[in-house]
Amino acid sequence: MARTLDQGFDTFLSWLVPLSSEHDKAKSHKDSVNSCMVNNFKCSNFFETGSFGNGTGVRHHSDTDYFAVCPSSEFWTDSGYTLRKVKEALQNTFWKTKEIEVRSPAVRIPFGSYASETLEVTPATRNGLVSTPVGDKYSYDIPNSDGGWMQSSPGAHNSYVNRENDRLGGKLKPLIRLIKAWKFYNNVPISSFYLELRTTKYAEGESSIVYDIDVKRVMKILYDNDLPSIQDPMGISGYVKACSTEAKREDALSKVKTGYTRAEKAVEKRESNVDDAFYWWKLFYNNEFPSR
């Protein structure tokens, strides 16, 4: 049990850090997946991206993501068809693994009961180096949700988050993890990548991070602006949507409103009634937050 709110957040963050064992279970299949992509699509580079690759994953909830970089001649103009062919190849390789599915921009392979034991493979072709605010980074074409292709640069986005995390004394990545935990514990259909960019963009204007106060402020931004698309701060991916469909956006907006109301009440009670603050944070995190 935590005595102070700050201790509560520190304890909670220690619970959110992924276990090496769960990550290792998905990574143990890396070589087999890579071999499949080499044999079927002449994959030349297979590297980890996403929350685990950037240190913002949430225990049991964040997927293990990889880019499979292949020649453009091995893919089709229709990225949706490309994803279906990648799925077929992976299903033939992992024929005992059920529920392999396309979840654009990737193919999702569940190797265990937790999301962290799931490996997501994104087919990609390399464009070359592009100039970004964090230096020259490689850009890739990956599937979008409309059958086309969009640009992405994991290296640029990771460097962007790392830059702001270093400037803020290592507190940005835990803040991102706290926002993602709210998403996972409340089944909010918002893109994790969107939340990472939105939280980092918010943090650019801050000189320090106090977890409960800044969680509330990020929630206020989401609430006040009705989850608008965010322009990629690195200038590579264009506008990033919060949700993949309008139905999911409506569901997310309702949960954002509830979440912001609870976070606001929790921060109001920070000094006057710590027991009440813990109560509202437990509601915010669907009873996953520590007790006082």
Side-chain angles (χ1 to χ4, degrees):
M1 296 177 68
R3 289 175 296 176
T4 69
L5 198 56
D6 290 339
Q7 288 175 339
F9 273 93
D10 287 342
T11 297
F12 187 47
L13 281 165
S14 73
W15 296 351
L16 298 180
V17 176
L19 301 171
S20 59
S21 57
E22 59 179 311
H23 190 203
D24 289 345
K25 186 166 185 178
K27 285 182 66 176
S28 68
H29 297 279
K30 173 190 173 183
D31 290 343
S32 296
V33 175
N34 185 28
S35 294
C36 173
M37 296 302 293
V38 169
N39 293 334
N40 288 276
F41 304 100
K42 299 179 181 177
C43 179
S44 60
N45 190 13
F46 194 72
F47 64 92
E48 188 170 10
T49 64
S51 297
F52 274 115
N54 200 27
T56 59
V58 174
R59 184 179 300 184
H60 298 330
H61 290 279
S62 295
D63 296 327
T64 301
D65 303 296
Y66 283 89
F67 268 28
V69 184
C70 307
S72 59
S73 58
E74 295 299 308
F75 294 152
W76 290 263
T77 302
D78 184 337
S79 66
Y81 185 74
T82 298
L83 284 167
R84 291 194 294 273
K85 298 302 288 184
V86 171
K87 177 196 170 184
E88 289 175 10
L90 290 167
Q91 189 70 75
N92 288 336
T93 299
F94 300 99
W95 55 272
K96 289 185 178 180
T97 302
K98 306 300 181 183
E99 299 180 355
I100 295 178
E101 63 177 342
V102 170
R103 188 175 292 181
S104 187
V107 175
R108 187 173 182 271
I109 317 170
F111 289 119
S113 56
Y114 293 118
S116 52
E117 298 168 336
T118 294
L119 195 149
E120 290 202 351
V121 183
T122 298
T125 61
R126 195 167 78 177
N127 292 321
L129 287 170
V130 294
S131 178
T132 78
V134 291
D136 291 345
K137 302 293 179 181
Y138 279 110
S139 169
Y140 303 85
D141 278 340
I142 65 171
N144 64 18
S145 58
D146 298 316
W149 298 83
M150 61 183 180
Q151 289 194 74
S152 177
S153 178
H157 295 128
N158 287 357
S159 294
Y160 170 53
V161 174
N162 287 335
R163 182 190 72 186
E164 294 305 308
N165 186 62
D166 291 344
R167 183 180 65 80
L168 291 164
K171 285 198 165 185
L172 171 58
K173 289 186 179 183
L175 177 63
I176 293 171
R177 190 169 269 146
L178 288 169
I179 297 295
K180 289 183 179 180
W182 163 78
K183 158 197 159 71
F184 290 125
Y185 290 144
N186 292 280
N187 297 312
V188 186
I190 300 178
S191 158
S192 290
F193 181 53
Y194 175 89
L195 290 176
E196 187 150 320
L197 286 184
R198 178 63 72 186
T199 304
T200 304
K201 186 64 179 175
Y202 155 78
E204 280 189 39
E206 300 302 309
S207 58
S208 62
I209 296 293
V210 179
Y211 294 132
D212 61 326
I213 292 172
D214 289 292
V215 167
K216 187 209 77 169
R217 288 176 176 173
V218 172
M219 293 301 299
K220 179 173 171 56
I221 290 171
L222 299 178
Y223 174 68
D224 286 348
N225 295 282
D226 292 335
L227 295 178
S229 296
I230 181 174
Q231 188 170 18
D232 178 10
M234 297 296 99
I236 293 174
S237 300
Y239 282 88
V240 179
K241 293 181 179 179
C243 307
S244 58
T245 67
E246 184 58 28
K248 288 182 178 180
R249 182 174 174 276
E250 291 299 321
D251 180 25
L253 281 171
S254 174
K255 290 174 178 177
V256 165
K257 180 179 180 180
T258 299
Y260 171 60
T261 299
R262 291 172 175 174
E264 186 177 42
K265 289 182 180 294
V267 171
E268 285 176 0
K269 301 294 184 180
R270 191 179 204 278
E271 302 297 336
S272 62
N273 192 324
V274 178
D275 286 331
D276 278 356
F278 269 86
Y279 167 79
W280 285 107
W281 283 120
K282 286 184 76 70
L283 285 182
F284 181 83
Y285 285 111
N286 199 20
N287 291 317
E288 297 291 339
F289 196 74
S291 298
R292 187 164 188 245

